[in-house]
C-alpha cells in the first residue's frame, strides 16, 4: 500500500458545527503532515507529527485541532470555523528519516464553511 | 529553506520534451533540490530529487548546474496528462520531519 487516504473528500459545515477530517497511511511512515491550500495558491504547512508527537505548529488558530491516535492515523478536528477557512486540506506522510525525506500526499479533503 | 524562482507558466507541445527551469542561487551545500507537481484538484506528487549529480527516474530527469545555483526538470515526452503546477523546492539534508515549503511553482500547459 503506497497511498495516503483522506476522508471525507468533500465536507460542508456551518460555523457552529464540529467536524473532523481523517487521514490514514499504511506505509510505516512515522511523520504525518497537514497542509492547507486556498484556490490558486501553493499548499501551506499547518502541523507536523513525528513519531505521534506534535513537532511543528505553524501558528495555526486553535479552531483547528490536530490529533495523531497512532502511527497510521491523523485527524484534524474542526470547530467554530470561518468562511475564510474554506480550502483544500491535504495530508501527507514520510519516513521521517534524516537525509532525503520524500512526502507522499493524499488527494485532499475539500472543505466549505458556510 | 532557501528560496526558489520559477517562471509562472510555460507551454509545451505534446510529444516534445518539457524543460522547466528553477533558480536557487542561495542554495546551501547541504540542501537537496526536490520537484513535485500538482494536477488540478489533486494532492502534490513527488517527481524527483537531487543533491549534486544529475538524476533520472521513470518520470523525469533532473539536471543540476555545477555551481548548484539552478536546475532543470525535464519531462522527455510530454503528454496532456503532464499539465500541472510544478514546484521546485530546496530543503536541508538531515532536516527530519520538518515539512516542505512550497513556492508559487510553474503552471505547465501541454498543448495538443
Amino acid at each position: 500500500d503506497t497511498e495516503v487516504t483522506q476522508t471525507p473528500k468533500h465536507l460542508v459545515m456551518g460555523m457552529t458545527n464540529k467536524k473532523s477530517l481523517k487521514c490514514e497511511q499504511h506505509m510505516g511512515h512515522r511523520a504525518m503532515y497537514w497542509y492547507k491550500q486556498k484556490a490558486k495558491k501553493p499548499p501551506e504547512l499547518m502541523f507536523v507529527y513525528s513519531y505521534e508527537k506534535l513537532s511543528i505548529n505553524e501558528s495555526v488558530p486553535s479552531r483547528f485541532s490536530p490529533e495523531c491516535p497512532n502511527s497510521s492515523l491523523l485527524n484534524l478536528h474542526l470547530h467554530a470555523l470561518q468562511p475564510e477557512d474554506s480550502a483544500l486540506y491535504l495530508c501527507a506522510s514520510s519516513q521521517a528519516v534524516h537525509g532525503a525525506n520524500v512526502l507522499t500526499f493524499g488527494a485532499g479533503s475539500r472543505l466549505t464553511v458556510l | 529553506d532557501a528560496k526558489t524562482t520559477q517562471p509562472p507558466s510555460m507551454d509545451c507541445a505534446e510529444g516534445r520534451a518539457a524543460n522547466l527551469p528553477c533558480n536557487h542561487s542561495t542554495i546551501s551545500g547541504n540542501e537537496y533540490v526536490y520537484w513535485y507537481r500538482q494536477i488540478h484538484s489533486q494532492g502534490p506528487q513527488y517527481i524527483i530529487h537531487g543533491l549534486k549529480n544529475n538524476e533520472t527516474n521513470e518520470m523525469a530527469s533532473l539536471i543540476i548546474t555545477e555551481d548548484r545555483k539552478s536546475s532543470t526538470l525535464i519531462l522527455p515526452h510530454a503528454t496532456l496528462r503532464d499539465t500541472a503546477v510544478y514546484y521546485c523546492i530546496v530543503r536541508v539534508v538531515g532536516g527530519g520531519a520538518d515539512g516542505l515549503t512550497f513556492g508559487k511553482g510553474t503552471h505547465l500547459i501541454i498543448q495538443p
Side-chain angles (χ1 to χ4, degrees):
Chain A
D1 188 351
T2 58
E3 288 188 346
V4 173
T5 302
Q6 291 188 242
T7 54
K9 293 190 186 308
H10 299 276
L11 177 63
V12 179
M13 60 186 292
M15 289 189 285
T16 59
N17 292 158
K18 287 185 180 181
K19 297 287 185 182
S20 298
L21 305 180
K22 180 180 174 181
C23 175
E24 192 167 5
Q25 57 88 15
H26 297 287
M27 294 178 281
H29 289 174
R30 299 311 299 272
M32 297 186 78
Y33 311 77
W34 280 115
Y35 281 82
K36 174 182 178 179
Q37 186 173 26
K38 300 283 282 183
K40 300 189 184 301
K41 299 290 187 182
E44 295 179 352
L45 184 64
M46 300 174 72
F47 302 104
V48 180
Y49 273 82
S50 181
Y51 292 87
E52 293 126 68
K53 295 199 182 304
L54 183 65
S55 58
I56 295 176
N57 175 342
E58 292 286 357
S59 302
V60 179
S62 60
R63 58 185 183 269
F64 296 92
S65 176
E67 178 195 21
C68 190
N70 59 57
S71 61
S72 299
L73 284 175
L74 184 67
N75 298 319
L76 185 63
H77 302 298
L78 314 170
H79 174 55
L81 295 193
Q82 304 296 313
E84 57 265 29
D85 296 321
S86 298
L88 182 67
Y89 289 84
L90 294 160
C91 175
S93 69
S94 72
Q95 289 185 329
V97 297
H98 293 288
N101 186 32
V102 173
L103 272 65
T104 301
F105 284 83
S109 293
R110 187 163 299 281
L111 173 67
T112 302
V113 182
L114 301 176
Chain B
D1 291 354
K3 290 186 177 180
T4 61
T5 304
Q6 299 178 252
S9 65
M10 293 181 63
D11 287 349
C12 179
E14 188 177 19
R16 304 295 295 268
N19 295 274
L20 291 92
C22 180
N23 181 286
H24 32 79
S25 58
T26 60
I27 193 170
S28 300
N30 64 344
E31 288 181 310
Y32 282 107
V33 179
Y34 292 80
W35 283 84
Y36 283 74
R37 73 180 182 183
Q38 187 173 22
I39 295 169
H40 181 61
S41 294
Q42 297 183 20
Q45 176 190 23
Y46 165 78
I47 301 172
I48 199 167
H49 74 277
L51 186 60
K52 294 180 184 178
N53 301 320
N54 298 337
E55 303 287 345
T56 295
N57 63 21
E58 65 279 4
M59 289 183 68
S61 295
L62 174 60
I63 308 299
I64 302 174
T65 57
E66 191 168 343
D67 64 6
R68 302 187 69 244
K69 292 185 177 182
S70 65
S71 61
T72 301
L73 178 75
I74 301 172
L75 307 178
H77 304 288
T79 71
L80 298 178
R81 289 175 295 179
D82 293 320
T83 292
V85 178
Y86 287 76
Y87 296 102
C88 169
I89 301 166
V90 294
R91 180 182 170 276
V92 67
V93 174
D98 60 355
L100 295 171
T101 301
F102 289 82
K104 295 180 180 179
T106 295
H107 187 195
L108 175 67
I109 300 171
I110 306 300
Q111 304 283 2

